Amino acid sequence: MTSFILRPLHHTDRESIAEQANNWEIAKNLMDRFPHPYSFEHAEKFIQMASNSAPVHIKCIDIAGSAVGCIGIHPMEDIFCRNAELGYWLGQKYWGQGIISNAVAMMVEYGFANFDIDRIFARPFNHNIASQKVLEKNGFKLEAKLSKTIFKKGIYHDEFIYSILKKP
Amino acid sequence: MTKLHSRIATIQDLDALFKISVETFTSSFAHLNDPEDFKAYIEKHKSKETLEIELSGKESTFILFTTEEGQLCAYCKLNVGEGQSDIQDPTSLEIERIYVYDNFQGQGIGVHMLSVCEEIAKSKGLTYIWLGVWEKNLGAIRFYEREGFVAFSTHPFLIGSDVQTDILMKKIIA
């Protein structure tokens, strides 16, 4: 497998993030706040936002010095404060090598160690089988299938909810 | 200046890129050349098929500049490595084409475009950017000089049967 590290984003990652993220094959499985097309300016704004928290919520997947994807852990608020949502994407040319699967394992460990949370969840689209496999491989359990909760570019999709609990 | 977004063109941008490349090239140069030669040059070098091949090339990247609403106002073509049309220095980046629609000119977009190209070159660890500019395009030559480019060589090219000369200019960035 191509080796990678997870590290905080830096403003010099603007070009590589914009290059990898400008891809509908990635955007179609994500929230609309991940724009398409994806400009250098979008990358700049995103990096600024991602650099603005301690501990770091969002890390980039660095292959040979270039940021080619991101993985983030987002703690919830109020009565859901012991939960965090996991999200991720990876540049298409690095798919199918187990990179995201290993990144998820690292981020789950990081999340439970650095945030006051007991549960991490993820919400893949129903058609995103690759993402569901990544979660299952990492011990996430499918908790629910919600019908037509997603409205992406004029089309309804079902949402799957996966979670993993902190080991006591 | 209009607030611009810049991004790397993908194959989905082919139609829009084809339109802007023909329109800006024609409005820049048609009146300066023999009409028959010019038409032949456009047909040979500016077809959509040629553009598609260029767009999918590993050593070429097209950057699109749009308004916040997504309207295309300018583009440039960047080459690295053996994709460069001259010198082919592995430490340089060539700006092969840089065009702005007439109605967006005079707003400082060119300066902004060069700075985006410079950032891209830096992010690839390259040490200078260079470009060829038609020797008769004095306005452009002065513009690049103001932006820190220095002439270093020349490069002949053909428009139809007419031999023209490009001045090669470069700017050290690292």
Side-chain angles (χ1 to χ4, degrees):
Chain A
M1 191 193 76
T2 313
S3 71
F4 72 92
I5 58 165
L6 297 185
R7 63 162 173 84
L9 281 148
H10 190 256
H11 70 92
T12 52
D13 296 317
R14 188 180 97 130
E15 280 71 25
S16 59
I17 287 290
E19 180 177 356
Q20 301 300 332
N22 189 25
N23 182 348
W24 176 245
E25 290 305 308
I26 295 172
K28 73 178 187 186
N29 290 315
L30 299 174
M31 307 263 272
D32 284 342
R33 68 172 176 233
F34 182 98
H36 184 78
Y38 198 108
S39 68
F40 294 121
E41 291 71 22
H42 289 133
E44 189 165 328
K45 222 166 128 187
F46 167 71
I47 292 168
Q48 256 169 28
M49 182 275 291
S51 315
N52 230 338
S53 71
V56 171
H57 291 230
I58 300 172
K59 294 185 177 191
C60 70
I61 297 165
D62 175 317
I63 294 179
S66 289
V68 299
C70 287
I71 184 162
I73 187 133
H74 307 282
M76 301 286 108
E77 290 179 345
D78 208 301
I79 56 171
F80 300 111
C81 62
R82 294 301 183 96
N83 297 268
E85 178 166 10
L86 181 71
Y88 41 82
W89 65 269
L90 178 67
Q92 190 170 6
K93 62 177 154 182
Y94 303 100
W95 291 1
Q97 303 177 43
I99 293 172
I100 278 289
S101 191
N102 285 348
V104 165
M106 290 154 83
M107 207 58 180
V108 164
E109 194 184 328
Y110 173 84
F112 284 135
N114 288 279
F115 298 97
D116 196 10
I117 52 171
D118 300 315
R119 177 176 172 273
I120 293 174
F121 67 99
R123 300 183 294 165
F125 284 49
N126 59 324
H127 59 244
N128 193 354
I129 309 293
S131 187
Q132 293 159 24
K133 283 196 175 144
V134 160
L135 294 167
E136 284 161 11
K137 207 171 149 188
N138 276 286
F140 281 71
K141 296 277 180 286
L142 177 62
E143 283 186 339
K145 296 179 173 184
L146 306 186
S147 294
K148 310 266 182 282
T149 49
I150 298 169
F151 187 65
K152 180 84 182 173
K153 290 275 186 277
I155 298 169
Y156 290 97
H157 299 279
D158 296 345
E159 169 192 6
F160 287 10
I161 298 182
Y162 280 84
S163 78
I164 187 166
L165 300 175
K166 189 175 183 175
K167 290 193 184 72
Chain B
M1 192 186 83
T2 317
K3 196 170 180 289
L4 293 186
H5 273 260
S6 45
R7 60 185 165 86
I8 296 169
T10 66
I11 200 69
Q12 293 167 323
D13 297 308
L14 178 63
D15 289 342
L17 186 60
F18 179 64
K19 187 166 182 284
I20 192 175
S21 68
V22 170
E23 288 175 357
T24 53
F25 189 78
T26 304
S27 76
S28 303
F29 299 118
H31 62 289
L32 298 167
N33 287 281
D34 176 84
E36 282 305 307
D37 283 353
F38 191 77
K39 192 164 166 270
Y41 184 87
I42 288 267
E43 277 166 8
K44 181 167 177 209
H45 295 277
K46 301 284 173 190
S47 75
K48 199 184 268 190
E49 291 69 32
T50 309
L51 190 64
E52 187 172 355
I53 292 164
E54 290 175 335
L55 190 54
S56 38
K58 271 199 164 37
E59 293 183 308
S60 295
T61 308
F62 288 85
I63 310 295
L64 305 181
F65 297 80
T66 68
T67 63
E68 283 190 282
E69 295 75 38
Q71 191 192 353
L72 189 55
C73 17
Y75 85 99
C76 59
K77 178 177 187 245
L78 307 181
N79 302 324
V80 295
E82 291 176 5
Q84 296 174 100
S85 65
D86 198 315
I87 63 178
Q88 301 186 339
D89 184 335
T91 70
S92 63
L93 177 139
E94 175 190 16
I95 305 174
E96 190 187 352
R97 291 168 213 157
I98 179 163
Y99 288 101
V100 180
Y101 268 130
D102 287 346
N103 54 327
F104 285 99
Q105 277 174 8
Q107 299 179 39
I109 289 179
V111 175
H112 173 69
M113 292 173 80
L114 289 179
S115 78
V116 169
C117 297
E118 223 177 289
E119 289 306 313
I120 291 169
K122 280 183 191 163
S123 77
K124 294 178 185 295
L126 304 174
T127 57
Y128 66 97
I129 54 180
W130 69 275
L131 49 84
V133 52
W134 191 27
E135 63 177 351
K136 292 183 189 172
N137 195 351
L138 297 177
I141 293 172
R142 268 185 229 111
F143 167 74
Y144 293 125
E145 282 172 348
R146 275 201 306 277
E147 293 307 313
F149 283 79
V150 179
F152 69 97
S153 183
T154 58
H155 179 104
F157 68 101
L158 276 177
I159 288 225
S161 53
D162 192 12
V163 181
Q164 309 268 7
T165 302
D166 267 354
I167 313 277
L168 306 188
M169 304 179 80
K170 72 171 165 183
K171 179 179 181 182
I172 308 284
I173 56 165

